[in-house]
């Protein structure tokens, strides 16, 4: 099956987000950016499916600025076949991204879309579900384990109470959770090889998608800091404070 | 103006998240109806009708709603939305799985994990809680998920009207196979009065027994940091943090947790935070009301003994 993996370039996992002084958003100038960690898990899973012979072709797609090409190259260095880069300098909302991804999925004839359950910048957790709905495909959210069958895929899902297994008819969308796999590091030869893999250049206009934002950002602020309390000497003091001062035990 | 709140339930009983979501809906103003979509969910529907401030409870029954499968939930809710301006649900895995589907079908940008509502402005954490975004929607219909720890229970004493509706759900392409629910006599993580969580410092899954002993003494729920889940010590449903569950208990005890921002995002609204960590520079101490710099393998057995002394 043909597998499409949307990847997003986001502020690196280890970098603390800083709010701009004018409260217009988070400062992304001169900070390390990388692939959304949940998308990395999706890339890894696609490559494993290819290695196992269940995926015939793997395509990474990113909707983002010129530099999102680096993110696609990372996916290609991890082992994916080729890329599609839909270039835009706007910070698109999930609904617009889902509409673009739908067009890409249809153009590519994708049978499975593997993607992160949420992007760690805007934390909407919405693109996968939206994409599945506008394609009218079933979805397996928060995948812990995947097993490809004949025209189907079985998804073991992480849910609040434990694990749930569903069987989806292909084509389908699957979103990844933490324990699905541990993404590999790209080797130097593979990074070199990835530079020669093709990336198709597109724009939102190519797909006639209206990307006008639906939400107006009034402001972005730092969260109120919680004040540090006291250090206690020993366990007995801790229990005493919890019982007699805070009254919570 | 009317809001449809989607109930969190397991057919047999209603989860408190429903009542908290009603509180969030009250902040928007207007009439509030509750949708109980399930199979054999009349008990949950009856409980929903008692929540204060609710106009009507709509009970929709279908095989595919027994576990609230996303495709079936989408069809059920979209069919009801003519009568509502807003649909609102808790940001638990059940609702997070289908709400984006509803939003896309209504051609609306979802407003996710809302922690505050003032007028028509929604507050929501972004960047793992490192920033708060205040947004307004220009969409005709709004699809909102709420972080229930940020809203109080709505109270009881209501007497909403009840109606049953049928759902027309075609072939969804998705079939339920099985479920392995974590069996535990302990309280549920998001509703517990006390939560004790372990981090990477626990060293192994076996060592979580030290935490479980204390959880059982206190009647507490057991949680974990993402690092502990990543390391395979405990299942993912233990995870507290931006990519896991948000909790706000009376007492949160963090053991061997450094306090990465992504973890803090899920627990910093706790009333009292106690932290045990051997690294006195650990960021968890910056948010803890009571910090103990100690080796957890020594401190936890001591804690067990001290709690016994005071009657636990």
């Amino acid at each position: 099956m043909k597998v499409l993996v949307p990847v997003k370039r986001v502020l690196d996992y280890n970098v603390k987000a800083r709010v701009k002084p004018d409260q217009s958003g988070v400062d992304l100038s001169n900070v390390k950016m990388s692939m959304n960690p949940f998308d990395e898990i999706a890339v890894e899973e696609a490559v494993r499916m290819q290695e196992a012979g269940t995926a015939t072709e793997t395509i990474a797609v990113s909707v983002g600025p010129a530099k999102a090409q680096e993110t696609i190259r990372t996916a290609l260095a991890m082992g994916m076949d080729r890329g599609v880069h839909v270039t835009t300098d706007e910070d698109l909302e999930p609904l617009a991204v889902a509409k673009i991804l739908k067009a890409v999925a249809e153009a590519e004839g994708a049978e499975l879309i593997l993607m992160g359950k949420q992007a760690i910048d805007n934390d909407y957790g919405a693109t996968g579900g939206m994409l599945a709905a506008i394609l009218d495909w079933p979805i397996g959210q928060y995948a812990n384990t995947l097993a490809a069958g004949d025209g189907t895929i079985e998804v073991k899902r992480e849910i609040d109470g434990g694990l749930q297994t569903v069987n989806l008819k292909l084509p389908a969308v699957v979103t990844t959770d933490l324990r699905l796999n541990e993404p590999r590091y790209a080797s130097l030869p593979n990074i070199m090889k990835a530079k020669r893999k093709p990336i198709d250049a597109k724009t939102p206009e190519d797909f006639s998608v209206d990307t006008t934002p639906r939400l107006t950002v009034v402001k972005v602020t730092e969260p109120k800091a919680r004040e540090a309390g006291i250090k206690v000497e020993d366990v007995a003091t801790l229990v005493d404070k919890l019982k007699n001062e805070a009254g919570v035990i | 103006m009317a809001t449809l709140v989607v109930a969190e339930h397991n057919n047999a009983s209603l989860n408190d998240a429903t009542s908290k979501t009603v509180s969030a809906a009250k902040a928007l103003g207007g009439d509030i109806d509750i949708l109980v979509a399930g199979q054999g969910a009349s008990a949950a529907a009856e409980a929903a009708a008692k929540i204060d401030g609710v106009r009507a409870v709509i009970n929709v029954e279908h095989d595919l709603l027994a576990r609230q499968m996303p495709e079936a939930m989408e069809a059920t809710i979209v069919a009801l939305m003519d009568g509502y301006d807003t649909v609102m649900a808790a940001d638990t895995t059940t609702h997070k799985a289908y709400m984006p589907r509803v939003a896309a079908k209504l051609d609306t940008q979802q407003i996710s994990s809302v922690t505050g509502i003032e007028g028509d402005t929604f507050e929501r954490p972004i960047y793992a809680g490192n920033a708060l975004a205040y947004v307004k929607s220009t969409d005709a219909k709004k699809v909102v998920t709420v972080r229930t720890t940020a809203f109080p229970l709505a109270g009881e004493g209501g007497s909403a009207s009840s109606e049953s509706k049928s759902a027309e759900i075609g072939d969804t392409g998705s079939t339920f196979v099985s479920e392995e629910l974590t069996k535990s006599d302990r309280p549920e993580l998001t509703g517990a009065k006390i939560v004790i969580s372990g981090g990477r410092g626990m060293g192994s899954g076996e060592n979580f027994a030290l935490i479980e002993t204390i959880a059982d003494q206190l009647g507490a729920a057991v949680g974990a940091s993402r690092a502990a889940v990543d390391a395979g010590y405990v299942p993912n449903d233990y995870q507290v943090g931006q990519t896991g569950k948000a909790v706000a208990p009376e007492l949160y005890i963090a053991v061997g947790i450094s306090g990465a921002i992504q973890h803090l995002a899920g627990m910093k609204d706790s009333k009292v935070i106690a932290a045990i960590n051997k690294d006195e520079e650990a960021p968890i101490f910056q948010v803890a009301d009571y910090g103990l710099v100690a080796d957890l393998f020594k401190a936890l057995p001591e804690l067990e003994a001290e709690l016994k002394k005071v009657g636990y």
Side-chain angles (χ1 to χ4, degrees):
Chain A
M1 73 181 85
K2 226 177 187 184
V3 181
L4 183 70
V5 180
V7 293
K8 186 176 186 185
R9 181 173 182 266
V10 297
L11 181 65
D12 186 81
Y13 180 64
N14 289 310
V15 178
K16 190 178 184 298
R18 302 222 175 263
V19 172
K20 288 185 203 165
D22 68 357
Q23 299 196 328
S24 62
V26 165
D27 193 356
L28 296 178
S29 52
N30 303 315
V31 288
K32 189 183 173 201
M33 305 287 282
S34 28
M35 191 191 300
N36 178 40
F38 291 106
D39 299 347
E40 230 175 343
I41 294 172
V43 170
E44 174 65 31
E45 197 65 18
V47 173
R48 287 187 192 187
M49 287 178 74
Q50 194 155 33
E51 287 165 350
T54 48
T56 49
E57 191 181 19
T58 53
I59 307 151
V61 53
S62 193
V63 182
K67 282 192 168 170
Q69 200 190 101
E70 292 167 13
T71 312
I72 298 173
R73 291 279 172 217
T74 304
L76 301 182
M78 286 170 72
M80 293 188 71
D81 293 326
R82 60 187 177 85
V84 177
H85 182 190
V86 184
T87 310
T88 174
D89 285 326
E90 290 172 72
D91 181 17
L92 300 187
E93 290 172 350
L95 183 63
V97 175
K99 288 175 181 174
I100 293 168
L101 292 177
K102 172 187 190 261
V104 174
E106 285 173 343
E108 296 290 349
E111 292 162 274
L112 177 66
I113 301 175
L114 273 172
M115 58 198 291
K117 69 168 181 175
Q118 77 194 75
I120 61 163
D121 50 4
N122 279 324
D123 285 325
Y124 279 111
T127 309
M130 288 180 155
L131 177 58
I134 54 177
L135 284 163
D136 267 318
W137 292 4
I139 191 164
Q141 296 261 39
Y142 324 132
N144 164 291
T145 314
L146 289 184
D150 186 15
T152 62
I153 191 157
E154 194 166 271
V155 186
K156 190 183 271 190
R157 309 176 48 224
E158 303 272 6
I159 58 171
D160 283 343
L163 292 164
Q164 181 190 72
T165 305
V166 294
N167 196 56
L168 308 178
K169 252 190 243 168
L170 293 174
V173 175
V174 170
T175 67
T176 58
D177 215 323
L178 284 178
R179 295 193 297 172
L180 181 59
N181 60 49
E182 208 166 302
R184 69 193 67 189
Y185 290 100
S187 65
L188 191 57
N190 284 343
I191 292 170
M192 299 311 288
K193 227 163 85 184
K195 288 184 178 164
R196 294 191 302 272
K197 291 183 181 176
I199 298 179
D200 276 356
K202 299 279 183 191
T203 65
E205 292 73 36
D206 291 339
F207 305 108
S208 315
V209 172
D210 176 9
T211 58
T212 313
R214 306 299 186 83
L215 302 182
T216 317
V217 178
V218 181
K219 61 175 177 178
V220 173
T221 65
E222 300 262 0
K224 210 172 89 192
R226 199 182 163 110
E227 278 175 36
I230 56 162
K231 293 252 172 71
V232 294
E233 283 305 305
D234 51 34
V235 174
T237 315
L238 178 64
V239 170
D240 177 62
K241 294 276 186 198
L242 291 177
K243 188 172 170 60
N244 300 316
E245 191 174 273
V248 287
I249 59 168
Chain B
M1 235 181 74
T3 299
L4 182 66
V5 166
V6 191
E8 170 91 8
H9 68 92
N10 64 358
N11 297 310
S13 63
L14 192 70
N15 187 295
D16 275 350
T18 312
S19 175
K20 292 176 178 176
T21 310
V22 168
S23 283
K26 282 181 180 173
L28 267 184
D31 291 321
I32 300 167
D33 292 352
I34 296 182
L35 167 66
V36 178
Q39 188 192 37
S42 57
E46 276 165 37
K50 295 196 183 100
I51 297 174
D52 178 63
V54 178
R55 178 178 66 177
V57 172
I58 303 160
N59 184 196
V60 179
E61 300 268 324
H62 196 287
D63 292 357
L64 290 170
L65 296 173
R67 289 186 171 79
Q68 299 167 52
M69 301 290 272
E71 301 78 10
M73 290 300 283
E74 173 204 314
T76 305
I77 293 167
V78 170
L80 292 171
M81 282 309 288
D82 274 349
Y84 302 95
D85 312 282
T86 305
V87 55
M88 205 178 250
D91 74 341
T92 60
T93 53
T94 306
H95 305 290
K96 283 195 290 190
Y98 71 78
M99 285 291 266
R101 294 192 72 110
V102 174
K105 279 291 159 76
L106 297 173
D107 196 34
T108 290
Q109 175 53 49
Q110 171 171 306
I111 311 171
S112 310
S113 300
V114 166
T115 49
I117 299 170
E118 213 171 303
D120 59 351
T121 303
F122 297 86
E123 175 199 273
R124 54 179 305 268
I126 56 173
Y127 287 89
N130 272 303
L132 291 173
Y134 294 83
V135 299
K136 289 181 194 227
S137 171
T138 58
D139 286 313
K141 295 202 188 284
K142 296 175 182 55
V143 175
V144 180
T145 63
V146 299
R147 186 154 294 176
T148 51
T149 50
F151 297 92
L153 288 165
E156 293 216 354
S159 52
S161 66
S162 299
E163 57 177 308
S164 293
K165 280 194 179 166
S166 58
E168 277 181 43
I169 303 167
D171 177 17
T172 62
S174 170
T175 323
F176 171 81
V177 177
S178 63
E179 213 160 63
E180 305 157 40
L181 298 182
T182 308
K183 284 192 187 65
S184 171
D185 296 330
R186 297 190 192 102
E188 196 205 353
L189 196 50
T190 50
K193 285 205 162 50
I194 303 178
V195 173
I196 176 164
S197 290
R200 202 196 301 270
M202 295 306 297
S204 75
E206 289 73 45
N207 291 339
F208 261 76
L210 293 166
I211 279 190
E212 286 162 2
T213 307
I214 291 161
D216 292 339
Q217 275 178 294
L218 291 170
V222 176
S225 69
R226 176 171 166 171
V229 173
D230 270 347
Y233 300 167
V234 287
N236 189 61
D237 50 291
Y238 280 46
Q239 193 197 149
V240 172
Q242 185 75 356
T243 58
K245 291 174 186 164
V247 302
E250 297 278 301
L251 171 62
Y252 188 89
I253 309 174
V255 185
I257 292 177
S258 64
I261 187 78
Q262 106 86 25
H263 184 72
L264 302 184
M267 47 65 83
K268 66 184 165 56
D269 294 327
S270 305
K271 191 171 157 228
V272 174
I273 297 173
I276 301 173
N277 201 302
K278 67 178 174 194
D279 174 12
E280 64 177 313
E281 301 297 324
I284 190 78
F285 290 124
Q286 290 163 22
V287 299
D289 299 285
Y290 302 105
L292 174 65
V293 180
D295 178 357
L296 66 93
F297 296 106
K298 190 168 159 285
L300 287 176
E302 278 177 30
L303 182 56
E304 185 192 340
E306 288 295 330
L307 287 171
K308 260 187 203 151
K309 277 191 211 165
V310 296
Y312 284 97

